[in-house]
Amino acid sequence: RTKELILIADDNETTLEAFSDYLLTSGFRVITARNGKEAITTAVDTKPSAILMDINMPEMDGIEAIRALRETEHMQNVPIIAITAMAMPGDKERCLEAGANQYLSKPVSLRMVLQTIEQSLQPALYEEST
């Protein structure tokens, strides 16, 4: 199967590197963005199979970016996994309401991130084979 492209949007270099390395090792292709605006532009240009979206980013936060992506053609069905460090009450709801498919709170294990991506890609793989 072709290697799916995963967009990782996070303003933390350490997180970006850890997620990128782990996903590359797991057989995915990876592209990164460092804020919400960049995430939207990159997603539209590259049409990733899934997006890991940090919520707290400069310029435009993840919630705003998710909303914008959901209003963009070709981006309505791309799985978006929201990741946030400040898990406040209502955060998960806000992320899902904005259009995220999944929600993870940091610190999150790399294995958990990988499992969540794989789960979110499964329906798409199934649809293609039917």
Side-chain angles (χ1 to χ4, degrees):
R1 70 176 209 195
T2 56
K3 290 182 174 158
E4 285 96 353
L5 179 66
I6 308 299
L7 167 61
I8 306 169
D10 201 309
D11 60 324
N12 181 315
E13 286 300 320
T14 314
T15 306
L16 268 183
E17 227 165 275
F19 286 177
S20 296
D21 290 350
Y22 193 75
L23 291 175
L24 288 166
T25 309
S26 305
F28 289 99
R29 290 180 303 130
V30 171
I31 191 160
T32 59
R34 283 163 181 76
N35 62 55
K37 282 187 175 144
E38 205 183 308
I40 294 166
T41 317
T42 307
V44 170
D45 290 348
T46 62
K47 300 184 178 48
S49 306
I51 300 171
L52 283 180
M53 183 75 73
D54 183 35
I55 296 306
N56 305 313
M57 290 185 291
E59 278 187 67
M60 177 190 273
D61 70 15
I63 299 258
E64 231 179 297
I66 292 169
R67 283 204 184 103
L69 283 168
R70 288 304 183 216
E71 289 167 10
T72 309
E73 206 183 338
H74 308 305
M75 290 292 134
Q76 284 92 350
N77 301 320
V78 175
I80 298 178
I81 300 156
I83 300 183
T84 179
M86 44 159 240
M88 306 292 276
D91 263 8
K92 180 176 184 174
E93 292 69 23
R94 278 183 38 236
C95 292
L96 298 175
E97 210 174 275
N101 301 79
Q102 303 267 7
Y103 171 91
L104 298 170
S105 58
K106 287 179 187 172
V108 60
S109 75
L110 293 170
R111 181 182 279 142
M112 185 69 202
V113 170
L114 180 65
Q115 282 174 342
T116 307
I117 289 171
E118 286 176 337
Q119 282 168 356
S120 65
L121 291 173
Q122 261 154 357
L125 293 174
Y126 176 75
E127 280 161 25
E128 280 170 25
S129 64
T130 54

